[in-house]
Amino acid sequence: MKIVVVGDALVASSDLEKAAQELNVNEEVQVEKFEWYSDLSKEAFQEKILAIEKGGSEAVEIPAGICEALVDADILLVHIAPVSKKMIASAKKLRLIGASRGGMENVAVEAATERKIPVIHVIRNAEPVADFTVALMYAETRNIARAHLSIKNGRWDKGFSNDAYKTTLAKHTVGLIGLGYIGKLVAKRLNGLGVKVIAYDPFIDPKKLVDEGLDIELKGLHEVFREADIISLHMRVTKETTNMINAELIGMMKPSAYLINTARAAVLDESALINALEAKQIAGAAIDVFWEEPIPSHSPLLTLDNITLTTHIAGDTIDAIPHSPYLLRDVINDYFEKGVSDMQVNLKS
């Protein structure tokens, strides 16, 4: 069996190679390695990541010689290197594509689906993002970042724009939009803190949530926006979810409610959020993802006193990304054993 792996500046090709060698394929494995901008600094590599997140798999260069290597390949493993339509078209024998990350912007999933090639991925930083999401709930509702900023600026502020609504987290109802891997981890943490959790996800079986030991009440999208004190977004970016959280939905939120986004900026209508915050239509927001990164100096978000901003660091821990090939190995082996996987993004029966 031939497996092609593509390393980059964040995930070493040697780790992807080792993970490939540990797949349970019951035959001898031949690995061919490629590099995709592995020599770039982390900062320079972020520009390539942003290009992919904005333009998808066709927006960046593919590794030289990879199409030729894929002609007789059985499996392709990458981190964020592109898996373009051209690459998939050249892969005459390909049986599986694996990506050691959560977002699928770098993979031409539709092209893989047309060829009936399963695409498997992992949420490499799910635990860090879940932790960070709950931290943002505390930071925004209790003004932690704003108090810090006031001291750094020589003030001792005790009053904030959400003073009329301040209370403990346990007295809030949190509404999760999307119950994928990260959404469920956030729910698990909130369950442990005694926080009531409601959620919207039309693809989730309520019985499965019970089997997983999660206390979540599934509701309609409008119900969640009307009832929750904190809305937290956990959807992938698709044609259907782009700008899904719009002025209409935000307009349904309580004046005392907060909006948290650690998913992708594209799922949230930027103008709708800014307008709601400027008008004090909702109590506040906390976001770790932006429509343009770094955030432009002229952005209205920088003038607001009811938002917490962080620099897209929710998943940034020292171990999450380097370990991701081995998470992918485990998920693929589980898929080989069971024939199905929650981490399969296409061709689900």
Side-chain angles (χ1 to χ4, degrees), residues 114-151:
E114 289 174 5
R115 288 277 312 281
K116 294 184 168 40
I117 302 169
V119 178
I120 303 286
H121 74 144
V122 294
I123 311 298
R124 66 188 182 199
N125 51 11
E127 296 280 351
V129 172
D131 285 346
F132 200 90
T133 300
V134 176
L136 283 183
M137 294 178 189
Y138 279 115
E140 176 57 28
T141 62
R142 297 301 304 278
N143 303 300
I144 295 170
R146 282 190 279 277
H148 171 80
L149 182 63
S150 77
I151 294 173

Side-chain angles (χ1 to χ4, degrees), residues 165-177:
Y165 312 119
K166 283 187 297 189
T167 187
T168 60
L169 186 61
K171 291 183 179 177
H172 289 94
T173 294
V174 174
L176 304 178
I177 310 301

Side-chain angles (χ1 to χ4, degrees), residues 208-224:
K208 190 172 182 181
L209 296 179
V210 175
D211 293 341
E212 294 176 17
L214 294 171
D215 185 5
I216 305 171
E217 185 178 358
L218 292 175
K219 290 179 174 280
L221 182 62
H222 291 181
E223 286 181 287
V224 173

Side-chain angles (χ1 to χ4, degrees), residues 220-330:
L221 182 62
H222 291 181
E223 286 181 287
V224 173
F225 270 83
R226 291 191 181 105
E227 296 177 19
D229 300 298
I230 300 172
I231 296 285
S232 189
L233 308 181
H234 300 284
M235 315 98 80
R236 290 190 191 132
V237 177
T238 64
K239 291 178 182 178
E240 293 74 25
T241 63
T242 298
N243 287 327
M244 173 182 166
I245 311 305
N246 54 22
E248 180 185 6
L249 287 174
I250 294 173
M252 295 177 185
M253 295 172 65
K254 303 174 184 178
S256 58
Y258 301 86
L259 183 62
I260 312 291
N261 190 14
T262 54
R264 286 286 187 267
V267 303
L268 176 59
D269 186 313
E270 182 180 14
S271 296
L273 175 66
I274 291 171
N275 292 339
L277 292 171
E278 287 179 338
K280 308 294 188 194
Q281 182 181 331
I282 59 176
I287 59 176
D288 182 57
V289 288
F290 299 88
W291 300 266
E292 182 179 348
E293 296 182 11
I295 187 170
S297 59
H298 57 79
S299 172
L301 294 170
L302 299 176
T303 67
L304 299 170
D305 64 355
N306 53 354
I307 190 168
T308 299
L309 309 172
T310 54
T311 54
H312 203 157
I313 55 172
D316 192 6
T317 60
I318 60 171
D319 51 354
I321 294 177
H323 186 65
S324 62
Y326 305 105
L327 290 177
L328 183 62
R329 170 203 62 198
D330 294 343

